[in-house]
Amino acid sequence: QVQLKESGGGLVQSGESLRLSCAASGERSFNMYGMAWFRQAPGQEREFVGVINWMTGYTYYPDSVKGRFTISRDSAKNIMYLQMKNLVAADSAVYFCTAKRATFYTSNLSTDDFNSWGQGTQVTVSS
């Protein structure tokens, strides 16, 4: 069973950057997995932020974060990262990492496309 644990959240000022980490365990290799980030603000649905195919490193992002957010991974450590820059108050949310043994070719993804989730880490952007 895949376990995921996020870290790196916190309080930042508008315009600043922040990097989140997601440590994955439970598999010897995640090469057959796609891993993604979602976020959820109070009273809103969980929103897709980006996905990375572990083996190739190919990434897909929604327009809402494209150019500001970058997903990468360290295959040796089984850690996925979310580098966020030029943060604004609207980016404030709980950020979740998620995974599924699958390859993804689109940015049109929802929570239904994944089946392993972390507990989330809070990001608050102060304006």
Side-chain angles (χ1 to χ4, degrees), residues 16 23 34 38 45 65 78 83-84 89 103 113 115 121:
E16 293 185 339
F38 282 73
E45 294 187 354
V65 303
N78 287 341
Q83 178 69 51
M84 304 181 289
T103 302
D113 294 305
N115 52 17
T121 186

Side-chain angles (χ1 to χ4, degrees), residues 6 16 28 35 38 45 47 56 58 64 89-90 97 105-106:
E6 305 90 339
E16 293 185 339
R28 284 191 297 177
M35 290 194 184
F38 282 73
E45 294 187 354
E47 176 192 14
T56 62
Y58 290 168
S64 58
C97 67
Y105 301 98
T106 176

Side-chain angles (χ1 to χ4, degrees), residues 28-43:
R28 284 191 297 177
S29 170
F30 288 92
N31 281 341
M32 303 306 292
Y33 279 76
M35 290 194 184
W37 290 94
F38 282 73
R39 65 185 181 185
Q40 188 168 23

Side-chain angles (χ1 to χ4, degrees), residues 26-71:
E27 293 275 12
R28 284 191 297 177
S29 170
F30 288 92
N31 281 341
M32 303 306 292
Y33 279 76
M35 290 194 184
W37 290 94
F38 282 73
R39 65 185 181 185
Q40 188 168 23
Q44 298 187 21
E45 294 187 354
R46 202 164 289 191
E47 176 192 14
F48 172 69
V49 172
V51 65
I52 186 167
N53 289 309
W54 200 261
M55 181 183 292
T56 62
Y58 290 168
T59 54
Y60 300 89
Y61 305 94
D63 289 342
S64 58
V65 303
K66 194 175 295 183
R68 296 193 303 123
F69 288 13
T70 303
I71 296 175

